[in-house]
Amino acid sequence: MKLLLNGEWAMTYTREAPGWTKIPGPEAFTATLPVPGIWDDFPERFAEFEVARNAGFAEIEFPIDGSPCPDGSLPFLEGTVWLQRNVEVAGKFEFLRIGGVRLEVWAWLDGRFLGHHLGHSTGVEFSLPSTSPAPGEPRDLIVAVSNLRRDRTGCDIRGFAGRSGGITRSVEWISFDGAEVRDLYFYAEENLAIVQGEALLAGDLAESEMRWEIRDPETGMLLLQGREGPCTEHMRWTLPCGPLPLWSGEAPNLLEVHAWVCGPQGETGDRHVQRIGLRRLTTQGTRLLLNGCPVILRGATEHAYFPETTVPPTDPAVCRMMVAKFKELGFNWLRFHTWVPPEEYLAAADEAGLMIQVEPPVGAGRGEWEAILRTVRRHPSVVIICAGNEELLDEQKISELEGFVALTKTLAPDLLFNPQEALRGVEYCWRPADFGTPVERKPFLHNPARLERLREFSDLFGHYSWGQLSYESVRGDWRKIDQNLAIYEKPCLAHEIGIHGSFLDFSLAPRHLTTRAGDRIYRPAWRELERAGFQSRAAELHRLSCAWMRILRKHCVETARRCERLAGYDLLGAIDHHWHRHGYPCGIMNEFFEIKPGETAADVLRYNGPTVLLLDLGLRRSLRAGTLFSAVAAVSHFDGTTGPDVRFSWKLEDAAGRVLAEEQYPSKPLAPGRVHTLGTIRAALPEATMPQKLIVRTGLHFGVKEVENSWDLWVFPNAPLPESPDVQIQDHLNDATLHFLESGGRVLLLGTGGLPSRPITFQISVAGRTTGNLALPVHEHPAWGGFPHEGFCDWPFFPLLEGGYAVDFSECREFFRPILEVVSSFKHLIPQAAVFEWRVGQGRLLVCGLQLPSGDPGADWLRAALLRYLSGPEHGVLPTVHPDHLLQLKKLADIPPKLPVTDMGFDVLGQVPPE
């Protein structure tokens, strides 16, 4: 029988861990505490104790000008909580099961030590002494939970959750007199013909056999049954796979196994009931196959951010909601960054057909690794186990991993082994010494000896991609990535692609007020907005930031999908997770799983679905009117369809939906699991007198299925430069230029002219950092002369922003009236403008820090538009700047701003602190 021990327990508290403290006597237990429960949710229960608090707690204060920003924190209680309860159950064989703790637990029964379990990733089961008390005699159970360990870290014990202590799941007392099945594990062999079964048994096994049935959980229909014997503590047997349906993302077939022990007197103990799923993820060269069918892992990084609960939720409905949202956006895989999800999360993924990679906390040892393996192997959703994130893969670490691999292949042979997320010390380094020796420079800088050792025992790699799909995703070249991937000879999963940041959505702040973390991110960020005078523009800046982020994410994922040798990716940005670096708004969705403005689930599926149409446009989307447009179309095809009836279509439309050109033709049958070239789109671009946006729409029809994708292009007519004796083009400010302005001249200053400035780029700020920029508002102004925009910098601005500069108005805020504004991080708001106009004396100074490369159709148009504007009347009342003030600003520019470097490929805060 099972006795649930949830509810109120007697409680006391000590600052020290049990290793240095004796068991408290009965008189010490003067308070009570609910089990399960997190201590910090019941502060009133600790009022009588002088408790210790998180010494690392600090309130968030902005501005912050540096990197890395610290993680968020809370003043959580630290120490050991002792829990006591009397139990009146007795049996010949007894176990105490504790579903989960943060971070370690000790247990005593009637003063006798039962054992110790270190680790918050799994539950623990203690075998109780085989001494029976007198009938009705209560037994004294004491459990001690401590959160004082410092030798491990991971996403679910960092930030606001931190090491908040408590028992996180149910506590059960299991008692029986005969024999019982304690655990089951079934897995399909690679050929999918045979299933291996394993069972752990306990109790009196003499002269007994184990019987089992596999049923459909929905209908109860019996699918397979058998009996195995004689019983031992660890049973192994084989059964045919044929009668049993397989588990996959499209058909997450779960089966229900009933197992029990029969002795000479018949059935003994309770029946063990467990849900399983049969599937096999295998490798074939650089590809992955699920149940023999090619699959690309379209993943998201799960950073354990749960604003309502702070710690990982155990409500099945909440877990099902999260999994459904991921699936709705096309994700078929989640990478749990240095943490293991709770049982309810795993069960929800099992039910929905969402694959999972788990990673132990940083610092976990062999015992914790084994406990994780035994826990996750029961779940068909868990297909990959990874040894960590961005740790240094030196010779010592690789030797340690060899031991982990051997344990994995023994305990969970159907899991693929990933040695590390991002192979630091093999394919990239944070410090030159990371590489060790030897080092080769072709096809890129790497340590070939370490790579060869990893290749011998790893199934696949979490691959860094040299930042070309993350930190510098706008310039990622799929041809170069594919070429470099050849040396790995294993499937590679692109690590944390699309590390794009966005502005905060301040409308969400009230929803955090009732949570344990509160609005700790939003309050100081709002004060920073007020300091900069931007508070009335909060919603606008969030919307424009999301627009910029959206186009870069689509480009990034499509670059990854074009790489033939990539077997998948985890997108760092399914939701925002604000515990990290004092705010990490990187998601398609906000922290409440709501899609950010300007995008829909259908939009995301166009680039994140199983089959995705691609167009090799490169980076320049500005085209000359009247010329020929040409681009190669391809498809990344992974939805399993191979039928002969395949048709590809495309059309070129203007913004009003008028079709300018179109074509449809049959395609050869598409083998799944490949990137196929579909042909070249060629169309004559229309003549035009003004710039206009066009849309290329593509469709692929196969059988009853259809996918589509689209891209925007911009067409610019020739733009002859106007001539005006009153207008000069300069690239610097000197005495002659100032005299010309004072006397009524007009100057187009290309560059910043020596004014205080900061570099700009089309790459949005890396999430969580204070460097870079989060929005590029384009203000309505006649200076644009019809240059197309929707209030933000879309692809026509790419060649203009790269290598450009924005003037820093920190020392001249009174003159801040941007035409093209550059909005920095909400953690440190700096007034910046890349295009603006001042009155100087009787003249006008129009500053353009953008690059205007000759021959780029958009740049040619903008140069002419700026000159035309300067030749006409001014717009509104311009800020008036005295020449002497300009000279003072030029002197300030001689002291360059301190620009912190964005840290890449190594999370300093994610390491175990030295002793």
Side-chain angles (χ1 to χ4, degrees), residues 629-700:
F629 166 70
S630 175
V632 175
V635 61
S636 173
H637 181 47
F638 283 89
D639 83 339
T641 303
T642 58
D645 183 18
V646 181
R647 290 174 294 118
F648 173 64
S649 64
W650 65 265
K651 62 178 67 174
L652 181 66
E653 297 179 352
D654 64 15
R658 290 185 291 265
V659 177
L660 307 177
E662 63 180 325
E663 190 175 5
Q664 177 175 290
Y665 50 84
S667 172
K668 63 184 179 182
L670 302 177
R674 299 291 305 276
V675 178
H676 299 271
T677 299
L678 297 172
T680 301
I681 295 174
R682 293 184 177 87
L685 298 175
E687 298 289 351
T689 57
M690 291 293 291
Q692 61 176 307
K693 183 169 83 170
L694 305 179
I695 305 170
V696 180
R697 301 190 187 279
T698 59
L700 189 67

Side-chain angles (χ1 to χ4, degrees), residues 88-110:
E88 297 183 5
V89 174
K92 186 176 180 183
F93 303 100
E94 295 175 305
F95 297 87
L96 176 68
R97 177 182 292 162
I98 303 175
V101 301
R102 296 167 63 90
L103 297 172
E104 56 186 323
V105 61
W106 296 254
W108 293 261
L109 182 64
D110 299 329

Side-chain angles (χ1 to χ4, degrees), residues 719 722 782-787 860-870:
W784 294 112
F787 191 95
D860 291 346
W861 179 270
L862 183 57
R863 183 186 293 104
L866 296 174
L867 290 171
R868 283 196 303 271
Y869 166 70
L870 270 180

Side-chain angles (χ1 to χ4, degrees), residues 643-769:
D645 183 18
V646 181
R647 290 174 294 118
F648 173 64
S649 64
W650 65 265
K651 62 178 67 174
L652 181 66
E653 297 179 352
D654 64 15
R658 290 185 291 265
V659 177
L660 307 177
E662 63 180 325
E663 190 175 5
Q664 177 175 290
Y665 50 84
S667 172
K668 63 184 179 182
L670 302 177
R674 299 291 305 276
V675 178
H676 299 271
T677 299
L678 297 172
T680 301
I681 295 174
R682 293 184 177 87
L685 298 175
E687 298 289 351
T689 57
M690 291 293 291
Q692 61 176 307
K693 183 169 83 170
L694 305 179
I695 305 170
V696 180
R697 301 190 187 279
T698 59
L700 189 67
H701 316 259
F702 39 100
V704 297
K705 297 185 179 180
E706 181 176 353
V707 295
E708 58 182 28
N709 205 351
S710 63
W711 298 265
D712 296 338
L713 305 174
W714 288 263
V715 172
F716 293 86
N718 289 320
L721 295 178
E723 295 183 6
S724 172
D726 295 331
V727 177
Q728 292 183 2
I729 301 177
Q730 299 287 350
D731 58 8
H732 61 283
L733 291 172
N734 53 29
D735 290 341
T737 304
L738 292 176
H739 178 73
F740 178 69
L741 285 166
E742 285 186 284
S743 61
R746 304 171 187 191
V747 172
L748 174 60
L749 183 64
L750 297 180
T752 60
L755 298 174
S757 60
R758 293 170 177 260
I760 54 178
T761 174
F762 196 65
Q763 183 81 41
I764 204 167
S765 174
V766 178
R769 278 64 165 188

Side-chain angles (χ1 to χ4, degrees), residues 229-295:
C231 283
T232 60
E233 290 185 353
H234 190 182
M235 304 283 291
R236 287 191 176 95
W237 72 101
T238 62
L239 53 149
C241 189
L244 305 174
L246 296 177
W247 181 97
S248 68
E250 295 72 32
N253 296 304
L254 293 177
L255 306 170
E256 194 167 83
V257 183
H258 298 246
W260 64 97
V261 176
C262 281
Q265 305 303 319
E267 187 172 336
T268 70
D270 293 335
R271 291 196 175 197
H272 181 89
V273 180
Q274 183 175 319
R275 287 200 171 185
I276 66 168
L278 299 175
R279 50 88 191 109
R280 194 65 185 247
L281 186 68
T282 57
T283 66
Q284 185 183 74
T286 60
R287 300 197 301 167
L288 292 172
L289 307 176
L290 179 62
N291 302 334
C293 299
V295 64

Side-chain angles (χ1 to χ4, degrees), residues 1 114 159 195 246 274 452 491 511 534 605 683 772 779 810 883 902:
M1 63 173 292
L114 299 180
V195 172
L246 296 177
Q274 183 175 319
E452 179 58 32
R511 296 165 66 175
F534 287 179
L605 284 170
H779 296 278
S810 298
T902 294

Side-chain angles (χ1 to χ4, degrees), residues 92-377:
K92 186 176 180 183
F93 303 100
E94 295 175 305
F95 297 87
L96 176 68
R97 177 182 292 162
I98 303 175
V101 301
R102 296 167 63 90
L103 297 172
E104 56 186 323
V105 61
W106 296 254
W108 293 261
L109 182 64
D110 299 329
R112 180 174 176 178
F113 182 58
L114 299 180
H116 166 247
H117 170 76
L118 170 60
H120 61 283
S121 301
T122 69
V124 59
E125 192 167 274
F126 296 117
S127 178
L128 301 180
S130 58
T131 56
S132 299
E137 180 181 339
R139 311 186 73 177
D140 182 47
L141 175 63
I142 292 179
V143 171
V145 177
S146 175
N147 64 348
L148 293 170
R149 298 292 292 240
R150 297 292 188 275
D151 56 354
R152 61 215 344 94
T153 188
C155 280
D156 60 333
I157 54 172
R158 290 174 61 182
F160 295 133
R163 297 183 310 280
S164 293
I167 295 179
T168 57
R169 297 176 53 78
S170 292
V171 179
E172 295 176 322
W173 186 292
I174 298 106
S175 175
F176 56 93
D177 290 322
E180 281 194 353
V181 176
R182 309 295 301 128
D183 190 27
L184 292 170
Y185 170 46
F186 289 82
Y187 66 93
E189 292 190 346
E190 289 194 21
N191 60 11
L192 299 176
I194 299 296
V195 172
Q196 296 288 344
E198 294 188 22
L200 298 180
L201 279 58
D204 186 358
L205 303 177
E207 300 181 36
S208 61
E209 66 176 9
M210 188 189 73
R211 299 180 185 180
W212 55 269
E213 297 174 348
I214 298 180
R215 295 181 177 273
D216 183 317
E218 303 300 324
T219 66
M221 179 184 296
L222 179 65
L223 302 176
L224 214 58
Q225 62 183 338
R227 52 178 63 188
E228 316 299 329
C231 283
T232 60
E233 290 185 353
H234 190 182
M235 304 283 291
R236 287 191 176 95
W237 72 101
T238 62
L239 53 149
C241 189
L244 305 174
L246 296 177
W247 181 97
S248 68
E250 295 72 32
N253 296 304
L254 293 177
L255 306 170
E256 194 167 83
V257 183
H258 298 246
W260 64 97
V261 176
C262 281
Q265 305 303 319
E267 187 172 336
T268 70
D270 293 335
R271 291 196 175 197
H272 181 89
V273 180
Q274 183 175 319
R275 287 200 171 185
I276 66 168
L278 299 175
R279 50 88 191 109
R280 194 65 185 247
L281 186 68
T282 57
T283 66
Q284 185 183 74
T286 60
R287 300 197 301 167
L288 292 172
L289 307 176
L290 179 62
N291 302 334
C293 299
V295 64
I296 185 168
L297 298 188
R298 310 180 304 278
T301 322
E302 229 294 6
H303 275 88
Y305 182 57
F306 311 101
E308 293 96 340
T309 58
T310 309
V311 296
T314 56
D315 183 341
V318 171
C319 295
R320 290 190 185 105
M321 177 277 293
M322 296 188 299
V323 166
K325 291 288 187 178
F326 289 127
K327 292 268 292 186
E328 182 183 359
L329 297 180
F331 294 110
N332 66 352
W333 175 62
L334 287 182
R335 177 206 155 204
F336 283 78
H337 185 309
T338 57
W339 74 288
V340 179
E343 193 71 19
E344 292 81 2
Y345 207 154
L346 291 170
D350 292 344
E351 294 168 6
L354 185 67
M355 290 180 283
I356 283 175
Q357 171 178 297
V358 296
E359 299 167 21
V362 180
R366 184 181 177 90
E368 199 164 352
W369 182 273
E370 178 176 344
I372 291 170
L373 284 171
R374 291 189 180 278
T375 298
V376 302
R377 69 180 189 170

